[in-house]
Amino acid sequence: MSWFESLILGLVQGLTEFLPISSSAHLRLTAAFASWDDPGAAFTAITQIGTETAVLIYFRKDIARIISAWSRSLVDKTMRQDHDARMGWLVIIGSIPIGVLGVTFKDQIEGPFRDLRITATTLIVMGIILGVADRLAAREEAGGKHRVPKERKSLQELTVRDGLVYGLCQAMALIPGVSRSGATISGGLLMSYSREAAARYSFLLAIPAVLASGLFELKDASEGGHVSWGPTIFATIIAFFVGYAVIAWFMKFISTKSFMPFVYYRVLLGIVIIVLVSTGALSPHAAESAG
């Protein structure tokens, strides 16, 4: 991998990680359209450490409260009903599905799931699901002639069941094209949580999973010696700075705006990929030589 490739892929990772459009799909597609080698699952996982570091810093106050309350709840029973302590347990519970499924389907994730036809399909299907969830949320919030506006749930109302559902949604993002934030936000909206609550829990829930995945791939890459370390570290740093800016923008955006622009983009991109693959202009396995 060249330094220029790492710069572009780092920018793509930072720009797309927190938007509901799938960073893994965009890294794969960028390499395919540019006729580069597939950066591979290891590169994706390691650069995600950069974007998750941005999450740690952006939500540092929330995270510090959660860790402090959760730690105290281990020895103080009265703390177990505290919202931050419960949030600590809910993040752990919600992380179980992706951990189990990630280990179970590791070979498929790094192999067959990277087929561009699968990527295109998941872009479209999950885009439609996000669109439906967004429209239902907007209709409930607005009410109507014969409907009273319904207040969406906050994270104070998050239950163990809902945490597991969020976790299962996050696990779907193991398939390129699904999008971790897209799947978890869609799940949250369909469970009647507010946009802000769904996005916030999505970001918090991603921390253990992404850091664990990145460290796991870091260990494998160190032993296997199949990663270009200089460019990969450079891309990770780029992803951190760009990702932090995107988080700040996205949290403001969702407070007043619809997710529909992302829905249209996902569906259009998926259709373009299907057309290109169907006409032979793009191989479904393009840029897989390094994958």
Side-chain angles (χ1 to χ4, degrees):
M1 177 183 293
S2 71
W3 291 96
F4 177 72
E5 288 177 40
S6 69
L7 170 63
I8 299 301
L9 293 174
L11 286 170
V12 171
Q13 170 64 27
L15 286 169
T16 61
E17 173 66 17
F18 304 114
L19 303 180
I21 56 176
S22 179
S23 61
S24 58
H26 279 76
L27 287 172
R28 175 86 165 80
L29 291 170
T30 299
F33 288 142
S35 297
W36 297 338
D37 287 339
D38 181 357
F43 176 88
T44 301
I46 293 170
T47 53
Q48 282 179 335
I49 294 177
T51 46
E52 286 311 305
T53 302
V55 174
L56 291 173
I57 294 176
Y58 187 85
F59 292 106
R60 60 190 179 279
K61 293 181 181 178
D62 302 63
I63 294 169
R65 283 200 323 271
I66 290 170
I67 293 176
S68 175
W70 177 81
S71 300
R72 283 181 287 152
S73 73
L74 295 176
V75 294
D76 184 354
K77 291 184 179 181
T78 61
M79 283 293 299
R80 293 176 187 175
Q81 296 304 312
D82 180 84
H83 169 66
D84 289 324
R86 289 182 63 253
M87 183 59 66
W89 285 112
L90 289 168
V91 168
I92 292 172
I93 291 169
S95 300
I96 294 173
I98 197 170
V100 173
L101 295 175
V103 172
T104 303
F105 295 103
K106 184 177 186 295
D107 292 339
Q108 288 80 6
I109 294 165
E110 297 183 351
F113 285 178
R114 296 179 75 77
D115 188 305
L116 288 179
R117 290 166 294 192
I118 294 178
T119 298
T121 301
T122 53
L123 279 167
I124 294 171
V125 172
M126 284 306 304
I128 293 171
I129 292 173
L130 177 61
V132 170
D134 185 69
R135 287 295 175 87
L136 289 174
R139 187 172 67 176
E140 284 190 356
E141 290 170 345
K145 186 175 180 180
H146 302 292
R147 297 192 311 272
V148 176
K150 182 179 178 181
E151 185 175 350
R152 309 288 288 180
K153 292 192 288 187
S154 70
L155 288 185
Q156 297 282 348
E157 301 169 80
L158 188 65
T159 64
V160 171
R161 182 192 71 86
D162 290 354
L164 281 172
V165 172
Y166 266 112
L168 289 170
C169 291
Q170 177 178 241
M172 293 170 61
L174 291 168
I175 304 173
V178 170
S179 170
R180 187 188 313 276
S181 64
T184 50
I185 289 173
S186 295
L189 293 177
L190 290 172
M191 290 188 291
S192 296
Y193 285 90
S194 69
R195 288 180 173 83
E196 193 275 339
R200 185 173 290 269
Y201 185 61
S202 171
F203 290 155
L204 294 175
L205 187 60
I207 294 172
V210 173
L211 291 181
S213 172
L215 293 174
F216 182 76
E217 292 289 354
L218 196 61
K219 174 179 174 295
D220 279 4
S222 298
E223 295 174 351
H226 57 274
V227 171
S228 302
W229 284 110
T232 299
I233 292 172
F234 178 59
T236 302
I237 294 172
I238 295 295
F240 162 74
F241 285 106
V242 176
Y244 187 91
V246 171
I247 295 174
W249 172 83
F250 187 62
M251 293 305 292
K252 292 179 181 178
F253 176 87
I254 61 174
S255 63
T256 57
K257 299 292 192 299
S258 164
F259 286 112
M260 293 311 294
F262 302 113
V263 173
Y264 299 139
Y265 173 77
R266 288 181 64 105
V267 173
L268 179 60
L269 179 59
I271 292 172
V272 168
I273 295 169
I274 290 174
V275 170
L276 291 175
V277 171
S278 299
T279 58
L282 184 66
S283 167
H285 306 291
E288 280 190 354
S289 59

